[in-house]
Amino acid sequence: MRAVLSVASECAPLVKTGGLADVVGALPAALARQGWDMRVMLPAYPQVRAAVEPGPTVMEEDDLFGGPGRVVRATAAGLQLYLVDAPHLFEREGSIYLGADRRDWPDNPERFAALSWLAARLAREGDGEWRPELAHGHDWQAGLMPLYLARHVPTIMTVHNIAFHGLAPADRRHWLRLPEAGFNADGYEYWGQVSALKAGLVHADRLTTVSPTYAEELQTPEFGMGLDGLIRHRAGALQGILNGIDTEAWNPAMDPAIAGYDAPEGKVAARRDLMIEMGLEEGTGPIACVVSRLTSQKGLDLLLEALPALLERDGRLVLLGSGDAELEDAWRRMEEAHPTRVAVRIGYDEALSHRIIAGSDAILIPSRFEPCGLTQLYGLRYGTVPVVALTGGLADTVIDANPMALRSGVATGLQFRPITALKLTNTLCRLCDLFDRPELFREIQNNAMRQPVGWDASAADYAALYAEVTAAP
Ligand code: ADP
Ligand code: GLC
């Protein structure tokens, strides 16, 4: 087997705040089938330490940004791990990114510089038995790794979300062990600050992002979040590789969380169970659902405005999510206003997300931007028709039920643009119209369930890229 080190701040099922964790957790098995032994380096947060089988210490530092640190081998859930054990950085309660005040931990730059530093060391030195041929970093938390590595080992950076830059005050650059020569517009400087993401985008040999459309969008001012110029400059090194999902964990026929089914007709039981669990009254319209972080990216404020269109057609909404306090409150109020038609669960609950997606007729994803998105893929797999904004990975994974797609029998969902409350309102009406034509709706569900949403094709793309960057020049 060939060897690759994956470096990230999250990895399912050990620690997760979003889709990044799913992807980092799924890639090792998918790449093993392509002949690559992928091991994952991540911080030894308390919940990770509690969940793994620890192995030997393979690397130590007396002073890892303010305290001792080491790299410990570990295994869990079929994953081969290298954990950065540095109690002064990672041994704390609460969110992995935020303190109790819901703000970033003030030492986030050091915390993830430590991850990147030890990843670079492991990539160069190996652990005595295993040495990667290349290192693959994810998002800003791994951004300094390619810079620290200084081309001693080939690197790939994947952008899962360009909204997060990993900024640090300029005067911390020496403390972060960054070379003075790189503190300029062509290097890791971003408007007078240190940007970990920019460092990665500048120094990695190749860049990827999680869908072909997002790869295009990143090159525009509208989506590039200030880094579009750099991305355009590096366009020749950039590739969009679509995320897949774990088709075993998300398999409606074998899902332990629900009354299983393998065709849309079989959704009846899961649908009824969901209505009962959520205390919803039967209606004649569709049950739509949302499973999401509640942040402005996800466009759920637009859905607050558009929802009356669904309710007027006797539809129902089930929402599971957590995030911004204002959005949480607004959704709680929406539930209070329509207790028999709208069910809102604030929180994070994996099993509940399966029951909701299985029991609903449609899943709504009105994101303002969406690098890939995973829940529309769950929707496809479960015959739960995705209704999505036409952006990023949502554009690449759903086939809109336009007249020609309906005539040729290939539609799998609904898409809308511009991404406004008005257009979402119209699209919810379109959903209700389709739902009123059961045979047609069934056909869309059937098409959806047949889509290849697993990892095979994309894992082959990553394997081809790895082979390319490791090939002798
Ligand atoms: P993002 O990474 O931007 O949050 P994705 O669609 O890529 O968006 O991934 C989100 C992941 O997190 C999915 O696996 C989704 O099911 C899960 N998720 C989000 N919110 C919740 C929640 N409240 N409860 C359970 N799972 C959730
Ligand atoms: C990010 C994006 C999401 C993507 C996920 C995994 O969190 O917001 O669209 O699916 O990363 O790549």
Side-chain angles (χ1 to χ4, degrees):
M1 290 263 256
R2 304 191 62 186
V4 53
L5 179 68
S6 175
V7 184
S9 57
E10 306 185 14
C11 179
L14 305 171
V15 53
K16 165 168 168 177
T17 73
L20 169 66
D22 293 300
V23 173
V24 172
L27 279 176
L31 276 154
R33 295 194 288 273
Q34 304 285 333
W36 283 88
D37 172 12
M38 173 182 268
R39 302 189 180 182
V40 182
M41 182 176 247
L42 93 156
Y45 311 108
Q47 64 269 50
V48 170
R49 280 198 301 96
V52 303
E53 195 64 47
T57 296
V58 297
M59 202 166 265
E60 281 181 287
E61 298 246 346
D62 296 337
D63 182 9
L64 186 66
F65 304 104
R70 56 187 189 131
V71 176
V72 183
R73 280 274 279 135
T75 53
L79 298 162
Q80 298 291 329
L81 303 165
Y82 290 95
L83 302 181
V84 176
D85 183 20
H88 64 296
L89 300 174
F90 299 119
E91 192 64 42
R92 38 187 99 161
E93 294 302 315
S95 148
I96 57 172
Y97 304 126
L98 313 176
D101 57 0
R102 292 203 184 199
R103 286 164 180 272
D104 287 352
W105 295 108
D107 60 349
N108 273 352
E110 287 77 9
R111 297 172 76 223
F112 298 104
L115 172 70
S116 302
W117 179 265
L118 286 172
R121 268 195 65 191
L122 183 67
R124 275 187 80 159
E125 300 166 23
D127 73 354
E129 288 167 16
W130 186 84
R131 183 205 292 256
E133 297 169 62
L134 79 156
H136 182 171
H138 301 270
D139 274 355
W140 75 266
Q141 294 90 350
L144 296 179
M145 184 256 299
L147 188 161
Y148 291 143
L149 256 175
R151 298 227 139 71
H152 286 283
V153 174
T155 52
I156 293 171
M157 274 302 297
T158 295
V159 177
H160 293 263
N161 194 332
I162 206 157
F164 305 104
H165 288 195
L167 296 177
D171 58 13
R172 272 199 243 175
R173 63 187 183 275
H174 307 293
W175 164 243
L176 292 172
R177 306 180 187 172
L178 299 175
E180 189 57 25
F183 189 66
N184 56 50
D186 295 329
Y188 61 82
E189 185 224 0
Y190 183 77
W191 297 102
Q193 290 186 280
V194 170
S195 165
L197 178 62
K198 191 175 171 207
L201 298 178
V202 169
H203 289 276
D205 295 292
R206 300 289 280 273
L207 309 177
T208 73
T209 188
V210 289
S211 69
T213 294
Y214 196 57
E216 296 294 325
E217 289 172 342
L218 281 176
Q219 299 175 47
T220 66
E222 190 188 350
F223 292 95
M225 308 257 177
L227 290 169
D228 47 291
L230 169 57
I231 306 260
R232 281 197 299 280
H233 179 68
R234 297 224 58 199
L238 172 67
Q239 187 178 340
I241 302 179
L242 207 58
N243 288 335
I245 60 170
D246 181 338
T247 49
E248 281 173 29
W250 290 92
N251 177 357
M254 310 283 283
D255 189 332
I258 58 161
Y261 59 91
D262 55 12
E265 294 79 0
K267 280 170 79 76
V268 210
R271 193 181 193 273
R272 190 200 48 227
D273 292 346
L274 180 66
M275 298 285 277
I276 295 169
E277 178 176 1
M278 294 291 144
L280 294 175
E281 245 169 37
E282 277 296 341
T284 53
I287 305 179
C289 73
V290 172
V291 175
S292 182
R293 292 185 290 121
L294 300 181
T295 68
S296 76
Q297 172 187 343
K298 301 296 180 178
L300 296 168
D301 51 321
L302 305 177
L303 182 59
L304 284 166
E305 278 183 65
L307 195 62
L310 181 69
L311 301 182
E312 270 159 31
R313 300 283 294 267
D314 209 17
R316 303 288 180 262
L317 183 86
V318 181
L319 177 141
L320 169 64
S322 63
D324 296 353
E326 270 174 43
L327 276 170
E328 290 183 355
D329 289 344
W331 277 104
R332 281 198 191 95
R333 284 196 299 275
M334 184 60 97
E335 181 186 41
E336 276 164 27
H338 307 279
T340 58
R341 296 169 164 227
V342 177
V344 172
R345 297 291 178 272
I346 300 298
Y348 187 93
D349 187 332
E350 199 85 29
L352 179 57
S353 75
H354 285 242
R355 297 199 294 278
I356 290 176
I357 292 173
S360 300
D361 303 304
I363 183 162
L364 312 182
I365 308 157
S367 304
R368 292 190 164 86
F369 67 95
E370 195 61 74
C372 181
L374 299 178
T375 57
Q376 83 278 15
L377 302 177
Y378 303 153
L380 291 171
R381 180 109 168 116
Y382 278 63
T384 306
V385 173
V387 177
V388 305
L390 186 63
T391 186
L394 302 173
D396 294 336
T397 52
V398 174
I399 302 172
D400 179 66
N402 64 41
M404 194 54 82
L406 288 175
R407 243 183 266 166
S408 42
V410 297
T412 63
L414 285 84
Q415 295 175 316
F416 66 96
R417 185 172 66 183
I419 306 168
T420 60
L422 177 62
K423 196 69 190 189
L424 177 56
T425 300
N426 297 341
T427 309
L428 289 176
C429 294
R430 201 147 69 88
L431 171 70
C432 294
D433 292 343
L434 286 170
F435 189 75
D436 286 343
R437 299 169 63 187
E439 272 172 35
L440 193 55
F441 197 76
R442 186 68 39 91
E443 181 182 309
I444 297 173
Q445 290 177 301
N446 268 314
N447 293 342
M449 291 182 79
R450 280 199 300 268
Q451 299 298 301
V453 291
W455 269 106
D456 288 348
S458 295
D461 288 345
Y462 278 115
L465 179 64
Y466 294 171
E468 244 177 85
V469 294
T470 53

